[in-house]
Amino acid sequence: MLTVLGDANFGVWAWELNTGRVFWSRHSQTLFGLDDGPLSANGVEYLQLVAEEDRSTVARLFESVLRNDERHIRLEHRVRWPDGSLRWLEITGQRHRAHKAGQPMLIGVIRDNTEQHLQAEALQQSQERLQLALESVDLGTWDWHIPSGELYASARASDLQGAMTGAYQGSFQEFFAHVPNDDRQKMRQAYADLISGRNQVYQVVYRAQLADGSIRHLESTARLYRDESGKPLRMAGIIMDITERVLREQRLSASEEKFATLFQGSPDPISLTRIRDGRFLEINPSFSKTFGWSATEIVGRTAPEIGFWKDETRRQMLYAQLSRDRSLENAEAEFHTVDGRVVTCVVSCRFIRVERRQCIITTFRDITKRQQAEAALRASEAKFAKAFRTSADAITISERHSGKFIEVNEGFYRLTGYHPTEVIGRSAAELRLWPGDQRAQIIATVQREGRMVNQEMIGQDRSGQIKSIEVSVEPMELNGVECLLLTARDVSQLKAAQAQVHHMAYHDPLTNLPNRTLLMERLSQQSALHKRHELRGALLFLDLDHFKRINDSLGHPVGDAVLKMITARLEASIRHEDTVARLGGDEFVVLLTGLTGKRSQVTRHVRQVAEKLRKLLAEPMLFDGHRLQVTPSIGIALIPDHGDTPADLLKRADIALYRAKDAGRNAIQLFRTSMQEAASARLRLENELRLALMRNEFELHLQPQVDARSGLIIGAEALLRWCHPSLGPQSPQTFIPVLEESGLIIDVGGWVIDEACRITAKLLEQRLVSAEQFSLCVNISPRQFRQNDFVERVSLALERSGLPRQMVKLEITESIVIQNLDDTIAKMHRLRNLGVSFAMDDFGTGYSSLTYLKRLPVDLLKIDQSFVRDAIVDGNDAQIIRAIITIAASMQLAVIAEGVEQQAQLDMLQLQGCHLYQGYLFSPPLPEVEFCALLQGRC
């Protein structure tokens, strides 16, 4: 099953809520971008797998699960893979109770949703770009179907028109209802001109009165489309808000007044001079404040007359530039103030026409701001000098051609061992810092690309030690000399760490064996090599039998020591060209390569190797005074006979491994096609069962329960049946285990409860049964009973059917009881308070029923048919039946026997005091219609 989910790109996980332990499938760790080694699963380390921006959300969800006893969990978050990429994962799970010790668990699956997120983001970006394009030009669109008068308008068009909020679809007349009558007439005329052919494009400007009474000016442009006969069919166009343009035109007459306001209120000095004679026409208050002249003192006079410009030549040069370029931007010049001070300003000039006279408007800006900028520059230079001196990296400034050092920092000393005083004036070649011609390579790179960025090179320090150095170089000019600014850092430790990370990415951290990733690479290489040279190979998939018991009883340190010993034995038993890999947990793979001969010879040889490994690994080990013996189960896939790809080979070896486990463990199985067919058949059956639930292919058959003393039917047991649409009726022994294993039993069990209530309510309505003398037994699976909302589901089914609660009897088995006794008793009492009663099914087949029975609110014991079947000929079975009846009588419980097929069996039961029974002696399970007919015939 894990293999199938893995092939479907699903990972499986389980989280024990009490212990915090998390169990992962191999594919789950692959989805997190991890190797297949053991993964500690406490919460902190899991959050470290989550992308940093999602950690707080995931942490809150985990806290909620632990605090609120939530039944379902679903979240999406990102993880960052070792290659730096972000991947989206979807994690879903459901709360269950583990079979052992009743531990609450969340069990679920993980899948990679990255592609869906990328597609969604691409779609959203496309939609945003389209919307941005429309919004950027502030356009609305409309489409009018002329024969029907139906018009569609975009949300923007509807908003501009004032028709409504959001997109509009409705009458053409209603959409333009807010247009004044005279503008409607303009629109009709424009339409008529378009129809007649006088105009090819419909374009009209009109007004729309909004709900608040304001007027909006709009311009609509459209094209006409005709049908095959030439008649007008539809028009499609755009609406543009031109209110601002219209208002701007209306405000044009007042622009001079506004200009005067801006002129007078500007914080910068502004002057207006006449070109003809250079006389000042007007100055603003800021001009007077900066230079000291009032308007009465300067208007009517020229700049030379008042000595305004410090340098007359500069004035003439800037005027020539203004005349040539028609504008002057931020030119520097010096001016006198009225009290003789010199002020440096940047000047901007424009030609302007005032009252039909050509003038120049000039804006001045005090040089104080430039001085502030120069101060900031000096501060920046000081910061650079400080950064240069204190940087952890080595920084040098050297002459480009000679290589002589002009300046070095303390980082250079830490990298090379040379103090700054020892190297200034000397070159790198003299100090032998760059072995070989590496400095020439630096110069060539700078000449070719203009700079060097993060180039890895080999450096040498004062003692001759070789170091890996990351170098960046920028050309610069210093006092007219071409120089190089070089930054270098020691990356030797980083490279060693990278090599270690690379090794860890391909090897198991506990055993140092190749992991799944490296195994798959070698499988690919060997498959190609075998095909080219017509060689054979084999893949041996090993799993240690019951290894979990060692971890659980002796602890993980002993378990790890066992795994290391297994590793040593495997490595010592194979050839140098073969590979031993650990996939995780107690799973190992041995890759045998370069085998020659016929398939039968290779198969025999591989089996011999597998048998040798099986015996070797089964030899006893001593750890901390414990004598341990671990046996392996081994599955074998032949190369290339059992697959062309590494995934196929590994999957088929895994299938053979599980067949070896099914055969009793400590066994060897060679893959056969029939094994995969069985796995595929199991998957097909599960899929068909899912479809069966959706297509209502299930039905309930009812087996009567009879009181032998009166012959009355006192109840029935509801039994699930499935009629396949093409294969016909299916055996419950075939499909019910698959429902249990796949988890479908939860949904199907819910349907059974609803259907059983419906049928019983119908029998009661038809007066075929009475509420006081009839009850329907419904079998409950352990997984179904463990659901947190099981009580609520039963209560809801009873409410929907209106059925008296005492008519429903839930059958539970010992497997439900022993998983979590306290939870079982609590749920049973809650249901008992609703009026529901309980029967203990298959009583006597387990080991703990007598221990727990006295604590359970059970009303009925069911004697298992396995005792009834042979009770006539087997004295032991008869004794067990007698004991069960005695226990029931002592606890004042009713008792009923299952599987009664012979009169002699019934006679024996009655002699023992058991008068209630069900079985083929009276009737097999019947469909609803036939059961109703049976009841009618006995009324």
Side-chain angles (χ1 to χ4, degrees):
M1 185 61 186
L2 292 178
T3 302
V4 173
L5 289 173
D7 291 342
N9 206 23
F10 281 84
V12 179
W13 58 273
W15 177 14
E16 286 187 358
L17 299 182
N18 288 350
T19 66
R21 291 187 302 176
V22 178
F23 304 92
W24 306 78
S25 70
R26 297 186 300 275
H27 195 72
S28 292
Q29 296 182 213
T30 303
L31 291 175
F32 277 90
L34 302 175
D35 57 53
D36 291 321
L39 180 62
S40 176
N42 61 59
V44 174
E45 293 184 356
Y46 180 88
L47 291 178
Q48 291 174 355
L49 303 177
V50 179
E52 185 175 357
E53 50 268 42
D54 295 341
R55 288 179 186 171
S56 60
T57 302
V58 175
R60 286 195 298 271
L61 179 60
F62 284 175
E63 291 171 359
S64 176
V65 170
L66 294 172
R67 184 173 58 251
N68 298 324
D69 199 29
E70 293 183 5
R71 186 171 65 86
H72 296 282
I73 178 174
R74 182 187 179 280
L75 71 153
E76 285 184 310
H77 64 71
R78 291 163 285 184
V79 298
R80 189 172 296 280
W81 279 20
D83 61 2
S85 64
L86 281 174
R87 309 288 298 180
W88 277 95
L89 298 185
E90 179 187 39
I91 294 91
T92 57
Q94 238 175 333
R95 186 181 291 267
H96 299 272
R97 293 289 178 179
H99 292 292
K100 294 184 178 181
Q103 290 286 350
M105 299 182 70
L106 280 174
I107 300 175
V109 296
I110 307 173
R111 68 171 183 173
D112 190 330
N113 269 4
T114 305
E115 190 64 28
Q116 293 91 320
H117 276 272
L118 293 177
Q119 292 174 357
E121 290 174 2
L123 176 59
Q124 181 179 358
Q125 292 172 1
S126 175
Q127 293 173 339
E128 290 174 352
R129 286 195 294 270
L130 175 60
Q131 185 64 26
L132 182 61
L134 289 172
E135 291 178 355
S136 66
V137 293
D138 205 28
L139 299 179
T141 62
W142 57 273
D143 195 322
W144 173 33
H145 185 256
I146 298 173
S148 66
E150 188 82 3
L151 181 138
Y152 169 81
S154 67
R156 178 58 182 161
S158 180
D159 177 66
L160 290 174
Q161 191 70 28
M164 60 183 293
T165 300
Y168 172 88
Q169 185 169 359
S171 166
F172 177 91
Q173 298 296 336
E174 183 179 348
F175 183 75
F176 290 102
H178 302 289
V179 178
N181 288 333
D182 52 345
D183 284 352
R184 288 196 207 178
Q185 184 58 40
K186 288 168 55 180
M187 296 169 71
R188 295 189 189 99
Q189 185 60 48
Y191 178 73
D193 291 343
L194 184 65
I195 295 297
S196 65
R198 288 191 293 273
N199 287 331
Q200 298 300 315
V201 177
Y202 173 89
Q203 185 172 15
V204 63
V205 175
Y206 62 95
R207 293 164 295 167
Q209 186 169 8
L210 305 184
D212 60 0
S214 61
I215 297 296
R216 181 174 283 160
H217 298 267
L218 303 174
E219 183 181 53
S220 182
T221 304
R223 294 194 63 177
L224 175 67
Y225 298 88
R226 302 176 186 268
D227 60 17
E228 296 178 354
S229 62
K231 294 181 180 180
L233 178 62
R234 55 183 285 268
M235 284 181 66
I238 59 173
I239 298 176
M240 179 188 300
D241 187 353
I242 61 169
T243 304
E244 198 61 34
R245 188 179 77 192
V246 172
L247 294 178
R248 187 168 58 250
E249 292 172 353
Q250 293 173 352
R251 293 194 299 265
L252 186 59
S253 60
S255 62
E256 291 183 0
E257 179 181 352
K258 293 183 178 180
F259 170 78
T261 301
L262 293 173
F263 182 91
Q264 296 298 328
S266 172
D268 291 329
I270 304 176
S271 68
L272 184 66
T273 57
R274 191 166 51 208
I275 292 180
R276 179 169 54 84
D277 55 13
R279 299 189 180 279
F280 287 97
L281 297 179
E282 193 169 358
I283 61 172
N284 70 347
S286 294
F287 187 99
S288 299
K289 183 178 179 179
T290 301
F291 299 110
W293 282 286
S294 65
T296 56
E297 294 174 322
I298 198 171
V299 171
R301 302 175 68 185
T302 66
E305 288 177 1
I306 64 173
F308 183 51
W309 289 76
K310 180 184 178 183
D311 187 347
E312 180 62 16
T313 303
R314 178 66 173 166
R315 183 184 74 84
Q316 294 176 0
M317 183 182 68
L318 292 180
Y319 181 79
Q321 182 179 342
L322 172 64
S323 300
R324 182 183 70 250
D325 300 335
R326 310 304 297 171
S327 67
L328 188 65
E329 293 289 345
N330 297 328
E332 284 190 20
E334 292 179 310
F335 303 89
H336 288 120
T337 65
V338 71
D339 57 4
R341 290 182 299 108
V342 175
V343 177
T344 304
C345 297
V346 290
V347 181
S348 298
C349 301
R350 292 287 187 278
F351 290 109
I352 185 173
R353 185 174 293 276
V354 179
E355 297 178 351
R356 298 183 179 181
R357 292 178 295 180
Q358 194 76 9
C359 302
I360 299 174
I361 186 168
T362 305
T363 302
F364 306 82
R365 183 165 299 169
D366 197 333
I367 197 62
T368 304
K369 292 185 178 181
R370 171 176 289 182
Q371 293 171 342
Q372 292 173 346
E374 291 173 348
L377 178 61
R378 288 192 295 271
S380 176
E381 291 174 345
K383 291 178 182 178
F384 170 78
K386 183 177 181 180
F388 180 88
R389 291 192 301 271
T390 61
S391 173
D393 295 336
I395 304 177
T396 68
I397 301 175
S398 60
E399 293 181 356
R400 179 168 182 166
H401 298 293
S402 67
K404 292 182 179 180
F405 290 110
I406 298 174
E407 189 68 66
V408 299
N409 69 346
E410 287 298 321
F412 178 84
Y413 165 69
R414 290 189 292 271
L415 179 66
T416 66
Y418 289 104
H419 288 282
T421 54
E422 298 179 272
V423 300
I424 301 300
R426 302 174 68 186
S427 68
E430 293 178 54
L431 302 174
R432 298 181 179 178
L433 297 179
W434 302 113
D437 60 349
Q438 290 187 103
R439 189 177 189 280
Q441 295 176 21
I442 293 175
I443 299 298
T445 301
V446 172
Q447 288 177 340
R448 182 177 64 254
E449 301 178 8
R451 60 191 304 199
M452 175 184 282
V453 179
N454 297 335
Q455 182 70 44
E456 187 176 320
M457 305 186 73
I458 300 300
Q460 182 173 286
D461 65 9
R462 184 172 198 154
S463 63
Q465 181 180 354
I466 298 298
K467 297 182 177 181
S468 294
I469 301 175
E470 187 177 83
V471 178
S472 295
V473 181
E474 293 281 352
M476 62 179 297
E477 186 174 301
L478 192 62
N479 298 325
V481 179
E482 290 186 349
C483 299
L484 296 178
L485 175 66
L486 183 146
T487 304
R489 66 178 56 179
D490 187 352
V491 294
S492 301
Q493 293 182 352
L494 176 62
K495 286 182 63 64
Q498 289 174 340
Q500 183 179 3
V501 169
H502 182 271
H503 180 83
M504 292 173 62
Y506 288 94
H507 291 80
D508 171 51
L510 177 65
T511 63
N512 204 36
L513 291 175
N515 60 15
R516 178 185 292 270
T517 302
L518 184 54
L519 173 67
M520 299 301 268
E521 287 186 6
R522 291 187 180 177
L523 262 175
S524 298
Q525 296 168 358
Q526 291 299 324
S527 294
L529 187 64
H530 288 172
K531 185 178 295 184
R532 187 161 54 248
H533 297 287
E534 296 184 353
L535 298 173
R536 292 180 179 274
L539 199 65
L540 278 61
F541 203 141
L542 291 80
D543 183 276
L544 304 181
D545 301 331
H546 305 299
F547 178 75
K548 185 175 182 297
R549 295 177 183 174
I550 296 177
N551 282 333
D552 293 343
S553 59
L554 302 179
H556 285 279
V558 174
D560 291 346
V562 170
L563 293 175
K564 291 179 180 179
M565 176 62 76
I566 294 295
T567 299
R569 290 181 177 182
L570 288 173
E571 289 185 316
S573 304
I574 64 170
R575 301 171 302 170
H576 178 73
E577 59 266 29
D578 296 331
T579 299
V580 178
R582 182 181 178 220
L583 301 188
D586 58 344
E587 293 182 335
F588 294 84
V589 169
V590 176
L591 172 61
L592 305 178
T593 60
L595 304 180
T596 59
K598 298 179 179 179
R599 174 172 175 171
S600 59
Q601 295 173 320
V602 171
T603 301
R604 185 165 53 254
H605 172 71
V606 172
R607 282 186 177 276
Q608 291 172 352
V609 172
E611 180 62 23
K612 172 186 173 183
L613 295 177
R614 188 189 67 80
K615 292 180 179 179
L616 178 66
L617 297 185
E619 291 180 1
M621 315 174 192
L622 287 176
F623 293 103
D624 295 336
H626 299 283
R627 185 178 185 276
L628 303 177
Q629 187 170 15
V630 180
T631 60
S633 296
I634 304 176
I636 303 173
L638 298 179
I639 307 173
D641 305 79
H642 292 151
D644 297 326
T645 67
D648 285 342
L649 289 166
L650 197 59
K651 177 177 68 176
R652 286 160 187 171
D654 196 14
I655 291 172
L657 168 65
Y658 278 94
R659 183 56 60 90
K661 285 182 171 292
D662 291 341
R665 303 178 186 269
N666 192 19
I668 299 170
Q669 285 285 340
L670 180 68
F671 174 79
R672 296 189 302 276
T673 305
S674 59
M675 294 180 182
Q676 187 159 3
E677 291 173 352
S680 300
R682 166 64 175 75
L683 180 60
R684 283 196 302 271
L685 178 56
E686 181 179 332
N687 292 333
E688 288 174 348
L689 286 169
R690 294 183 189 278
L691 293 175
L693 182 60
M694 292 189 297
R695 297 188 297 216
N696 296 318
E697 294 174 3
F698 292 113
E699 62 177 328
L700 290 185
H701 285 196
L702 307 177
Q703 185 169 40
Q705 295 175 334
V706 184
D707 188 336
R709 294 167 294 189
S710 62
L712 294 177
I713 298 176
I714 51 90
E717 180 177 0
L719 299 170
L720 183 64
R721 295 294 184 263
W722 175 35
C723 185
H724 191 281
S726 58
L727 301 178
Q730 300 295 297
S731 170
Q733 287 77 16
T734 300
F735 69 83
I736 287 182
V738 178
L739 290 176
E740 289 278 2
E741 294 170 10
S742 64
L744 283 171
I745 195 66
I746 295 172
D747 293 330
V748 174
W751 175 86
V752 169
I753 294 174
D754 289 336
E755 184 70 1
C757 291
R758 181 195 68 79
I759 292 174
T760 309
K762 182 178 177 182
L763 296 176
L764 187 62
E765 181 182 356
Q766 296 175 350
R767 298 185 179 180
L768 297 176
V769 298
S770 66
E772 294 77 18
Q773 298 179 351
F774 185 90
S775 63
L776 186 66
C777 289
V778 181
N779 291 286
I780 303 299
S781 80
R783 294 188 73 165
Q784 185 182 4
F785 192 86
R786 292 276 77 84
Q787 295 300 300
N788 291 334
D789 62 346
F790 175 71
V791 176
E792 289 74 13
R793 290 189 180 190
V794 174
S795 177
L796 182 61
L798 291 169
E799 289 178 6
R800 283 198 295 255
S801 65
L803 188 67
R805 309 298 174 85
Q806 72 272 15
M807 296 189 72
V808 173
K809 193 182 298 292
L810 301 182
E811 291 194 13
I812 62 173
T813 61
E814 186 178 351
S815 60
I816 292 178
V817 174
I818 65 176
Q819 284 185 12
N820 188 332
L821 181 61
D822 293 335
D823 179 68
T824 299
I825 294 174
K827 286 181 179 176
M828 291 178 70
H829 278 296
R830 288 174 62 192
L831 289 166
R832 188 70 175 270
N833 292 336
L834 295 177
V836 177
S837 59
F838 290 91
M840 177 67 80
D841 196 13
D842 301 337
F843 185 75
T845 60
Y847 299 97
S848 306
S849 297
L850 297 179
T851 304
Y852 298 141
L853 183 59
K854 60 184 180 181
R855 297 182 58 189
L856 300 175
V858 173
D859 305 278
L860 175 69
L861 297 183
K862 300 192 75 174
I863 302 174
D864 188 66
Q865 60 182 345
S866 62
F867 302 129
V868 175
R869 184 186 308 115
D870 299 325
I872 304 300
V873 295
D874 191 332
N876 290 331
D877 288 344
Q879 286 292 102
I880 292 174
I881 291 174
R882 187 177 300 110
I884 294 173
I885 295 172
T886 302
I887 292 170
S890 66
M891 300 184 70
Q892 297 182 343
L893 300 178
V895 63
I896 186 172
E898 297 180 305
V900 178
E901 299 178 353
Q902 303 173 25
Q903 184 63 42
Q905 294 171 338
L906 180 58
D907 294 339
M908 182 274 296
L909 290 167
Q910 290 200 81
L911 287 175
Q912 301 296 331
C914 176
H915 305 288
L916 305 182
Y917 74 99
Q918 65 184 79
Y920 277 70
L921 176 62
F922 183 83
S923 172
L926 300 173
E928 178 185 351
V929 174
E930 296 181 20
F931 185 75
C932 290
L934 177 64
L935 292 175
Q936 289 172 345
R938 299 180 67 86
C939 289

